[in-house]
Amino acid sequence: MDKSYYHAHESAYKEIKTKGFVGWGNAKTLNDLGDAVTKQYLQETVEKYFTNPQGKTALDVGCGTGTTAFMLAQMGMDVTGIDISETAIGMGQDLSRAQNLNINFIAGDVLELEKLNQKFDLIYDSHCLHCIVFDEDRQKVLTGAKKSLNEGGIFVLDTMVMPNEPHNLKAGFEPLRFDDDYILWHKTKPSAMKGVVEINGQHWCAQRRIYPAHVVIAEVAKAGFVTVSHRLDAQDNEPSMLRLILR
Ligand SMILES: C[S@@+](CC[C@H](N)C(=O)[O-])C[C@H]1O[C@@H](n2cnc3c(N)ncnc32)[C@H](O)[C@@H]1O
């Protein structure tokens, strides 16, 4: 497989591992993973949509070292986590062994969810879609999720969107480049990877797509989803979090 911009995550996880952390946010233990708002939202969502989550199947899309996968497994769900970073997947496997939790961690591409050849009662995109930059790639993730949902299942999409004050967002991302097409680029070395461009002798790698919420809502509808719940959490000088529950 030719490498794409999203393979750049691997080096971030190597650094996290080298520093002795177990995931994002300088997390030293499993309990440090994830933010309080997301944890509460996840708990409430599972309680609302699953009378008994025990044994229900769940897929954590872009699981990283397993922030969401562990929470779902602790609620009794039968969890698979998929991530492009082999380092993150290895770290998740080590953590699950240490916790005696049987999570199926898979190194793979969320643009190819059909290859899992499995259907799930819950699919949770825990901050992955905003890492998928190009429209055709984003549709592949969304249509793959739609096909991988069991009848009556839900897809929870938890993703960054443009806040009402985009100027603050631009300032916060210096010295990264945030363009008028809502793409955030980081400076990189010359590379043949898809999603790396050269502008005035400098090389930039696509990193995030931070669309306004209405664009994401149109994208999920295009992939065949119906929105059953919609919540927008603003964050100071940072992208807002759009939390959609889809069928
Ligand atoms: C912002 S991180 C979130 C990680 C984790 N869900 C969490 O909440 O800690 C986004 C994750 O998506 C993964 N990712 C990005 N593109 C991917 C792709 N095409 N296939 C699989 N995983 C991908 C990255 O490796 C990264 O772990």
Side-chain angles (χ1 to χ4, degrees):
M1 173 173 59
D2 290 340
K3 289 210 165 179
S4 287
Y5 53 98
Y6 46 77
H7 286 82
H9 293 271
E10 172 66 3
S11 52
Y13 282 107
K14 281 192 171 140
E15 198 178 323
I16 289 172
K17 188 176 177 184
T18 305
K19 288 183 176 163
F21 298 122
V22 297
W24 293 106
N26 296 346
K28 289 214 158 125
T29 67
L30 188 59
N31 284 342
D32 301 332
L33 286 175
D35 63 280
V37 177
T38 306
K39 281 181 183 175
Q40 193 186 343
Y41 173 73
L42 182 104
Q43 178 87 32
E44 288 169 1
T45 302
V46 172
E47 283 170 5
K48 181 169 178 189
Y49 289 91
F50 297 91
T51 323
N52 179 10
Q54 203 72 32
K56 295 283 182 196
T57 50
L59 174 67
D60 181 3
V61 168
C63 61
T65 57
T67 309
T68 309
F70 282 106
M71 290 184 230
L72 297 171
Q74 280 158 348
M75 288 181 227
M77 296 188 115
D78 179 1
V79 184
T80 297
I82 180 169
D83 202 281
I84 200 76
S85 163
E86 290 186 3
T87 299
I89 289 298
M91 290 166 75
Q93 285 166 337
D94 290 346
L95 274 173
S96 66
R97 265 190 296 273
Q99 297 293 318
N100 242 340
L101 282 169
N102 189 19
I103 296 173
N104 181 22
F105 279 103
I106 296 174
D109 192 336
V110 299
L111 272 65
E112 300 174 338
L113 289 180
E114 293 99 321
K115 283 194 179 168
L116 294 176
N117 210 14
Q118 197 188 336
K119 294 208 175 203
F120 300 89
D121 301 308
L122 169 68
I123 301 181
Y124 204 110
D125 180 320
S126 50
H127 310 173
C128 181
L129 187 67
H130 54 239
C131 301
I132 307 299
V133 173
F134 301 108
D135 291 335
E136 67 275 17
D137 293 349
R138 294 168 63 87
Q139 271 305 304
K140 277 186 193 159
V141 178
L142 294 171
T143 53
K146 179 78 179 136
K147 286 182 195 150
S148 305
L149 256 193
N150 265 334
E151 186 80 27
I154 55 167
F155 175 38
V156 184
L157 176 59
D158 208 338
T159 195
M160 279 182 183
V161 288
M162 197 70 177
N164 292 333
E165 281 298 331
H167 293 301
N168 290 344
L169 179 64
K170 283 190 181 189
F173 278 141
E174 290 296 336
L176 303 176
R177 199 166 67 80
F178 190 56
D179 72 15
D180 292 336
D181 231 0
Y182 306 105
I183 301 179
L184 181 73
W185 305 82
H186 68 260
K187 222 179 244 184
T188 190
K189 295 184 186 132
S191 148
M193 206 154 65
K194 179 190 164 193
V196 172
V197 297
E198 184 186 344
I199 300 171
N200 298 333
Q202 292 183 330
H203 292 81
W204 299 88
C205 179
Q207 182 172 312
R208 299 269 188 279
R209 193 77 180 250
I210 308 173
Y211 271 136
H214 71 88
V215 176
V216 178
I217 290 165
E219 286 182 297
V220 295
K222 186 176 171 194
F225 284 110
V226 173
T227 301
V228 291
S229 159
H230 172 173
R231 165 176 159 177
L232 191 65
D233 292 330
Q235 309 184 106
D236 284 345
N237 291 337
E238 280 187 42
S240 304
M241 292 306 301
L242 176 67
R243 303 180 201 272
L244 297 177
I245 296 177
L246 308 162
R247 284 207 195 274

